[in-house]
Structure formats: C-alpha cells, structure tokens
Amino acid sequence: RKGGFAHFMLKEIFEQSDVFQQSFRLAFSHLETSALLRHAHGISVIACGTSYNASLLFRYFVEKECGTPVRVDLASEYRYLSTPEDEVVIAVSQSGETADTLSALKKAAASGCPTIAITNVQGSSITRAADRTIYTGAGPEISVAATKSYMAQVAAFVGLLAGMTCSETSFVECSVGQAIEESLLTDVSEAVSLCVPASTIFYVGRGIFYPVALEGALKMKEISYIHAEGYAAGEIKHGPFALLSEMTPAVAVCLPGDGYHSMLGNLREMKARGTPLIGIGYGDDIDLQDVTDVCIPIPKGDEYAQVAAVTVIMQRIAYYTALALGRDIDKPRNLAKSVTVE
Ligand code: F6R
C-alpha cells in the first residue's frame, strides 16, 4: 500500500501535485461560498496545528487580493475571544473531528455567524455543525504528519480566493503542479546534513513565507524530535538572537518581492552570530548564495507556486532528517492522527 515508498509520508508528499489540482477545482466550484466570502465584512478562520498554518496563508492571500479583514485563531483559544456575528467563520480540519475546532465552530454557529467547514473526511463531525462544507481532495492520509492534507487545504483556499476575485484558474493549476513536481526531485541532502546534529532549527520567512515557515518547523519537530521554531524573520532579533550558534541552523525563505532586501539583512545578522544558513530561493540569486551555507533552488513562478515548492522542500528536509535519525516517521511518538479531546 505504500506504492514502493519507504513510508506513507513520502508517498503522500509525492501525491501533492494531483491533490492540489483536485482540491483547487473542488473549492473553486463552490461559487456561492466564494460569493458569501466576497461580501463578508470580515472572515474568521479557526483551526489547530497544520490546519492553522494553512489558514494563516489564507489571511495573507485574502488581505492582499480583496482587502477583506481576516482573523485567524487557534481553535483552542477561540472560546476566550469575542465572536462578532457579522463575520463568516471557516473551520478547517483535515479529520473533521478535532475537538477544539468542533467546539469553536459550535460557538460561532451559536452566535449566529454563517459557518463553513473545510475538511478531508466525508460526513465528519464538523460537516454536521457547519452551514456548508467544502471537501478537500487529499484522499486518505495515513502518516500522522499532515503533508498532502495541508497542500489540499492551501489549494482549497486558493480555489476559494479565485472564486472571490473571479480569476482565471488554469494558470494556477499548471504553475503549482509543475513547481511541486520539480521540488520533489531537488537535492536536499546538504540541508539535511546541517539539520541532523542540530539542537534547534529556526525556520524564518516574511509575508506569505512566515506561515510556511511555521509549517516547516512543525513538520521537523514532530517527525525528527528536534526542536524547531518558525519565526517571522523580523522577530528573530527580538529574543531568539540569544540562542543563535553553530548548533542552531536556520532554514530561510528568501525570494524576490516584498521584503527581499530586509530578509537578506536578517540572514546576514544571523550569519554573523554563527548560524548555519539553509536558503530556499531562486537558483540564480547570487546574493542569497553569498550569505547562505546551502542554497536550495525552487522553480520560478507565482506566489502559489512558490508556496507549494517551498512547502515540498521543507517536508522533504524534515523527512530525510527523521530518516537519518532513525525515527518512526509515520507514527511519531506521543501523537495521534485525530485529536478528539480538548
Ligand atoms: C501536524 C498535524 C496536526 C494536525 C492537528 C489538527 O502534522 O497533523 O498538527 O494538523 O492536530 O488536525 P485536524 O486538521 O484534523 O483538525
């Protein structure tokens, strides 16, 4: 059932190009839901773990493309926060059974908010608590670490956004698919060599790559058991600087666009404090190559393709690091696929 792959996680990583396409189309077909979001005064998204990291990306995309304010909350904290009834609330959960997400969704529904569930599991509990459901097309995910279900959620958000902005869609599917396929083959071995002996690994990015960095760090810590932290690159100097050393490599996303020069500045500051740097950027970026110890190229493309490519690279760095350390990759210690207690 692993289709020749050593682990389900690797198999699921390799399925992501198809999963993106499938999930994007499914979400894009929900034009009524996109219209509801387009006319909303505000959008509130609730989720846990990897699903929360995918939801943070939606915030950046929507605020840039539509200007609609998007609030993203950890489902476990939602009960302590206000629930404005003019917000459309989206609950995101791969399993559809996460207790915190379910109770946050019920709270939003009880306050009179229109609710939408995004889930991968047909008939799961959150589908019964929400007004409407968008299914992601990831198919069953066996590995405890979420990979293709995260990509499916990102695709669902991009599909909804395309509906909200009435955009042309064929280009998105094609560019993201190619970016994923290429990134499945990119050599990440030098990066893995820097990660294996690490005591802590920082993941840093700006803008859309901040949530991607959070997800990269989550994947690394759960399957390799190495402590990893995702940070907005500008925040590193506000505390984490004290931790930087030869034992704390950083995986840094640095791509042309908003914040590129600030990011290079952040990397130089980290380098000066001894941090081994793994850059993820464009292969012809000489400035990035100059400041990093290892530079992993991603194909050129739009923001969605960049996000997908960086995600795949980070998943593969985590996978091969865990493999080198002999971890139980598909079933990491102390973790369950579905968390049904608050
Ligand atoms: C990490 C992971 C968890 C889940 C979280 C929420 O790889 O799988 O962080 O994302 O437990 O689960 P769902 O999406 O099922 O609500």
Side-chain angles (χ1 to χ4, degrees), residues 26 34 46 49 72 75 97 111 122 124 126 136 139 171 188 192 201 203-204 209 213 231 234 236 244 273 299:
L26 275 171
S34 294
I46 43 184
V72 185
E97 302 296 343
S111 307
Q122 297 272 340
S124 54
I126 69 163
T136 50
F171 178 71
V188 296
V192 170
I201 305 170
Y203 282 74
V204 292
F209 298 108
Y231 253 92
I236 287 282
L244 299 185
R273 286 156 183 84

Side-chain angles (χ1 to χ4, degrees), residues 5 9-25 137-138 147-156 170-185 304-305 308-309 311-312 315:
F5 290 95
M9 182 179 175
L10 193 59
K11 174 173 179 271
E12 288 161 0
I13 288 173
F14 270 76
E15 287 168 3
Q16 291 180 108
S17 175
D18 289 344
V19 162
F20 185 94
Q21 191 180 63
Q22 178 80 359
S23 305
F24 175 83
R25 285 183 188 170
T147 52
K148 65 173 178 171
S149 64
Y150 168 84
M151 192 64 84
Q153 289 166 351
V154 173
S170 54
F171 178 71
V172 174
E173 287 180 50
C174 174
S175 67
V176 173
Q178 274 178 7
I180 292 174
E181 294 293 341
E182 277 191 44
S183 305
L184 289 171
L185 304 174
Y304 307 130
T311 298
V312 171
Q315 291 168 344

Side-chain angles (χ1 to χ4, degrees), residues 39-283:
H39 296 116
H41 291 288
I43 301 169
S44 183
V45 194
I46 43 184
C48 301
T50 287
S51 300
Y52 172 79
N53 294 338
S55 305
L56 284 175
L57 262 175
F58 186 57
R59 176 181 184 195
Y60 281 85
F61 290 149
V62 172
E63 295 204 357
K64 182 173 170 197
E65 298 293 329
C66 312
T68 312
V70 180
R71 177 180 139 182
V72 185
D73 288 306
L74 292 165
S76 56
E77 290 295 307
Y78 193 71
R79 76 186 65 173
Y80 312 114
L81 301 165
S82 68
T83 313
E85 58 192 58
D86 60 347
E87 281 182 348
V88 176
V89 173
I90 309 177
V92 187
S93 171
Q94 183 281 132
S95 63
E97 302 296 343
T98 299
D100 284 318
T101 310
L102 190 57
S103 55
L105 173 61
K106 286 180 178 164
K107 180 188 175 204
S111 307
C113 303
T115 54
I116 302 164
I118 298 182
T119 184
N120 197 41
V121 179
Q122 297 272 340
S124 54
S125 299
I126 69 163
T127 67
R128 294 193 294 276
D131 300 333
R132 51 182 88 204
T133 297
I134 294 175
Y135 286 108
T136 50
E141 190 174 58
I142 310 295
S143 170
V144 165
T147 52
K148 65 173 178 171
S149 64
Y150 168 84
M151 192 64 84
Q153 289 166 351
V154 173
F157 281 132
V158 176
L160 279 178
L161 184 67
M164 288 168 74
T165 53
C166 307
S167 306
E168 165 60 41
T169 59
S170 54
F171 178 71
V172 174
E173 287 180 50
C174 174
S175 67
V176 173
Q178 274 178 7
I180 292 174
E181 294 293 341
E182 277 191 44
S183 305
L184 289 171
L185 304 174
T186 307
D187 182 10
V188 296
S189 57
E190 283 188 80
V192 170
S193 305
L194 288 178
C195 290
V196 167
S199 57
T200 284
I201 305 170
F202 286 101
Y203 282 74
V204 292
R206 285 175 170 264
I208 51 173
F209 298 108
Y210 163 49
V212 176
L214 291 178
E215 177 56 14
L218 179 58
K219 232 52 340 160
M220 178 60 85
K221 73 182 111 184
E222 70 178 323
I223 63 165
S224 75
Y225 314 154
I226 298 173
H227 176 244
E229 271 201 81
Y231 253 92
E235 281 291 300
I236 287 282
K237 61 173 83 67
H238 300 288
F241 258 19
L243 292 176
L244 299 185
S245 76
E246 292 73 21
M247 295 308 292
T248 63
V251 179
V253 189
C254 186
L255 285 155
D258 276 359
Y260 171 79
H261 291 287
S262 307
M263 188 70 205
L264 274 183
N266 296 141
L267 293 185
R268 291 192 183 106
E269 291 164 346
M270 293 175 84
K271 186 84 217 150
R273 286 156 183 84
T275 310
L277 290 179
I278 299 160
I280 303 178
Y282 285 156

